[in-house]
């Protein structure tokens, strides 16, 4: 981005360079999820459409786009159609502030952390409106649950962010990455370990993923907030969910795992050997790790009960995050080496 | 930093919105349309719906939202403090810990009152 002057054409190209690959990534994340869960459960996963099932996501998309869009008769038609867009847009928009490499950020703004945080929590409006507009009992339950859940985990997430800001001293995401320079020991996940896990858990809850998928719990409220959705409207919800998964992974990478920084920095021999690897590759590896853990968690844990979910959010994550914000501030004040 | 730094975000949002709209339009063009009364009824596991879905709901959802507003406001006070903590030094740290103490008193109170119970 050139400072002070915008070149709309150039910016549009940059945005497309993020959005279009993102769609491909989501398509293959879907396939990867089914494959990985398949292998975890000692079976193969999709392997019929294309080589190794590589065309499966394309086939799914073609199927969904040619299915009838059913609008329930007692629903609010306008809100019913707008709701999927309201989940999709914030999920995408969060990527505007993510530093993919040293020089590639679409909007290198100073309030980047706030923006990313806001976008990751805005998605709940789409879910709420979808549940309410469908005028179906299960959809309504799903959206109520989703609202209370997002709201509970957002506080812990906010406190985790306070810890990051204390450590990095900046809200600009590129500056936060640069503040972790100097090898793997200087990444913030070590001094902020409890906050790292809290942000991670809250991120899983925020994206309505297992084991926190109460908003769409298939076995109790049939499919929750998107029972009534079909065809492309359902596909957009699906797309938004996976994009926000990637967004949370990218935020975790940026805040705690040193973004595009190489893990071998400062180690004499390895540093030279891995010098040729571009920062973008490190960024992708870290994001892929978080995405893999998302899938791994889904294949491993049973769904939380609602009272357990609330207990974890309010009685475990919030107290722990408050304590660690205090500890982090104390470390900064006392200049605890080697981080501060 | 100027306001123009935020312009790419606006462009990003517009492109994301356009993408969503294109998908919706493509879906509505390519999909078959065969509406029927049965198909567009609300799904309640095969039974006809008893009543309107927009029923009164559990007051605890309301309570959680209220608590959220309080806590979110408090995190909003924490953000600027965290950014300038190094410049504020020990005095700034102590002042915020006093604020945090008041916050914790409120939190302990609501915990004791059972506002966080969901059984």
């Amino acid at each position: 981005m050139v400072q002070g002057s915008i070149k709309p054409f150039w910016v549009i190209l940059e945005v497309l360079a993020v959005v279009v690959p993102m769609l491909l990534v989501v398509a293959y994340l879907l396939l990867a999820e089914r494959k990985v869960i398949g292998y975890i459960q000692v079976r193969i996963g999709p392997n019929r459409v294309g080589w190794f099932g590589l065309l499966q996501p394309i086939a799914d998309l073609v199927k969904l786009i040619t299915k009838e869009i059913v609008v329930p008769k007692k629903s609010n038609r306008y809100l019913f159609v707008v709701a999927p867009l309201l989940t999709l847009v914030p999920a995408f928009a969060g990527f505007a502030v993510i530093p993919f490499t040293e020089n590639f950020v679409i909007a290198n703004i100073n309030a980047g952390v706030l923006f990313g945080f806001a976008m990751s929590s805005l998605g709940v409006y789409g879910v709420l409106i979808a549940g309410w507009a469908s005028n179906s009992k299960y959809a309504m339950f799903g959206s109520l649950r989703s609202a209370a859940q997002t709201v509970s985990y957002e506080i812990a997430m906010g406190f985790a962010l306070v810890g990051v800001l204390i450590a990095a001293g900046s809200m600009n995401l590129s500056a936060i990455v640069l503040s972790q320079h100097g090898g793997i020991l200087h990444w913030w996940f070590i001094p902020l370990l409890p906050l790292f896990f809290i942000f991670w858990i809250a991120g899983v809850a925020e994206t309505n993923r297992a084991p926190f998928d109460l908003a769409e719990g298939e076995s109790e409220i049939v499919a929750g907030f998107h029972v009534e959705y079909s065809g492309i409207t359902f596909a957009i919800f699906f797309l938004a969910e996976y994009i926000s998964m990637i967004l949370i992974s990218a935020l975790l990478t940026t805040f705690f795992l040193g973004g595009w920084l190489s893990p071998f920095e400062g180690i004499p021999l390895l540093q030279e050997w891995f010098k040729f690897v571009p920062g973008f590759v490190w960024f992708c590896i870290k994001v892929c790790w978080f995405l893999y853990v998302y899938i791994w968690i889904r294949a491993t844990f049973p769904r939380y009960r609602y009272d357990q979910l609330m207990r974890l959010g309010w009685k475990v994550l919030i107290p722990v995050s408050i304590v660690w914000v205090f500890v982090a501030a104390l470390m900064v004040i006392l200049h605890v080496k080697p981080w501060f | 930093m100027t306001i123009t730094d935020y312009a790419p975000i606006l462009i990003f949002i517009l492109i994301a919105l356009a993408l969503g709209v294109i998908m919706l339009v493509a879906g509505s063009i390519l999909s078959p349309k065969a509406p029927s009364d049965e198909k567009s009824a609300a799904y309640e596991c095969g039974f006809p719906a008893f009543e309107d879905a927009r029923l009164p709901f559990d007051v605890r959802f309301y309570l959680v939202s209220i608590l959220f507003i309080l806590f979110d406001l408090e995190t909003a006070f924490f953000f600027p403090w965290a950014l300038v903590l190094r410049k504020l030094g020990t005095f700034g740290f102590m002042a915020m810990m006093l604020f945090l103490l008041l916050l914790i008193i409120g939190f302990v109170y609501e915990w004791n009152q059972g506002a966080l119970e969901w059984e």
Side-chain angles (χ1 to χ4, degrees), chain A residues 182-197:
Chain A
I184 199 163
L185 290 176
H186 291 261
W187 294 356
W188 294 132
F189 83 99
I190 294 178
L192 303 178
L193 194 66
L195 295 182
F196 171 54
F197 282 110

Side-chain angles (χ1 to χ4, degrees), chain A residues 68 70-74 228, chain B residues 34-44 46-49:
Chain A
E68 183 175 355
V70 180
V71 180
K73 59 186 164 199
K74 283 198 292 176
E228 304 291 351
Chain B
S36 75
D37 253 16
E38 291 301 309
K39 201 189 282 175
S40 61
Y43 176 70
E44 284 185 14
F47 298 104

Side-chain angles (χ1 to χ4, degrees), chain A residues 142-155:
Chain A
S143 62
L144 274 178
R145 286 176 173 196
S146 173
Q149 170 186 338
T150 310
V151 143
S152 305
Y153 281 80
E154 211 172 290
I155 301 165

Side-chain angles (χ1 to χ4, degrees), chain A residues 284-296:
Chain A
C284 287
I285 290 173
K286 291 167 190 173
V287 169
C288 287
W289 159 250
F290 285 116
L291 290 175
Y292 174 72
V293 176
Y294 258 114
I295 298 167
W296 185 7

Side-chain angles (χ1 to χ4, degrees), chain B residues 54-67:
Chain B
R54 288 159 193 167
L55 297 164
F57 55 81
D58 198 331
V59 74
R60 281 180 296 191
F61 285 112
Y62 182 73
L63 194 56
V64 162
S65 327
I66 292 288
L67 293 179

Side-chain angles (χ1 to χ4, degrees), chain A residues 102-114:
Chain A
E102 191 158 9
N103 301 317
F104 189 77
V105 195
I106 288 175
N108 195 8
I109 57 171
N110 273 341
V113 171
L114 275 183

Side-chain angles (χ1 to χ4, degrees), chain A residues 66-68 72-73 76 92 108 110 115 132 135-136 151 165-167 228 232 307 310 314-315 326 329-330, chain B residues 1 9 12 19 23 31-32 34 39-40 42-43 52-54 68 79 86 93 97 107 111 117-119:
Chain A
T66 52
K67 286 277 179 187
E68 183 175 355
K73 59 186 164 199
N76 297 45
F92 257 129
N108 195 8
N110 273 341
F115 181 78
W132 189 81
N135 205 349
S136 160
V151 143
L165 297 186
I166 288 174
E228 304 291 351
I232 196 70
D307 61 310
M310 283 306 189
W314 286 94
K315 296 188 174 176
F326 170 74
L330 207 60
Chain B
M1 288 288 157
I9 291 180
F12 203 122
L19 184 83
M23 284 174 66
S31 61
K39 201 189 282 175
S40 61
Y43 176 70
D52 199 76
R54 288 159 193 167
F68 163 71
F79 280 128
R86 285 183 175 79
F93 174 74
M97 287 309 121
F107 187 62
W111 191 321
E117 306 296 331
W118 277 82
E119 276 81 38

